[in-house]
């Protein structure tokens, strides 16, 4: 995905790192780059907001329940499909 506007950090790079960012697993430099990008790119901010809500819902309703391998595969497949649609 790209919003068509030039950014210091490319939209694709931001969206590839969004879960790592949400999990607090990025170093401060990468976090700062993503925060700057999200401040200036509304399409990525919208996608980030969606990812954040999904993550919160899963944490709230699934707690420590482990997802089945089938469910995990279906979710990852759907994520790949959406990413392909966004970049296509």
């Amino acid at each position: 995905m790209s919003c068509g506007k030039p950014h210091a950090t490319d939209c694709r790079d931001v969206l590839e790192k969004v879960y790592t960012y949400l999990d607090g697993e990025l170093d401060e430099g990468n976090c700062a780059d993503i925060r700057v990008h999200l401040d200036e790119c509304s399409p990525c901010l919208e996608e980030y907001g969606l990812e954040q809500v999904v993550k919160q819902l899963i944490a709230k309703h699934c707690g420590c329940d482990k997802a089945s391998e089938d469910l995990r595969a279906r979710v990852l497949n759907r994520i790949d499909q959406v990413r392909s649609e966004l970049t296509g």
Side-chain angles (χ1 to χ4, degrees):
M1 174 186 154
S2 179
C3 67
K5 297 178 185 176
H7 299 285
T9 306
D10 186 74
C11 294
R12 276 184 258 263
D13 293 338
V14 170
L15 294 177
E16 286 176 5
K17 296 177 184 175
V18 76
Y19 279 111
T20 310
Y21 177 75
L22 287 169
D23 290 340
E25 296 175 355
L26 288 179
D27 61 70
E28 185 52 41
N30 278 316
C31 286
D33 291 344
I34 288 177
R35 282 191 296 268
V36 167
H37 184 94
L38 293 174
D39 284 344
E40 61 188 30
C41 183
S42 59
C44 286
L45 180 60
E46 184 177 323
E47 183 70 19
Y48 163 76
L50 174 64
E51 301 293 346
Q52 188 174 31
V53 168
V54 168
K55 187 172 175 73
Q56 289 170 344
L57 283 171
I58 290 170
K60 179 179 177 182
H61 294 288
C62 296
C64 295
D65 296 341
K66 185 173 171 116
S68 69
E69 288 302 315
D70 179 56
L71 175 60
R72 179 175 166 72
R74 289 190 321 219
V75 169
L76 292 173
N77 185 31
R78 181 64 182 135
I79 289 169
D80 288 340
Q81 287 175 346
V82 170
R83 281 188 177 149
S84 294
E85 291 169 7
L86 293 173
T87 59

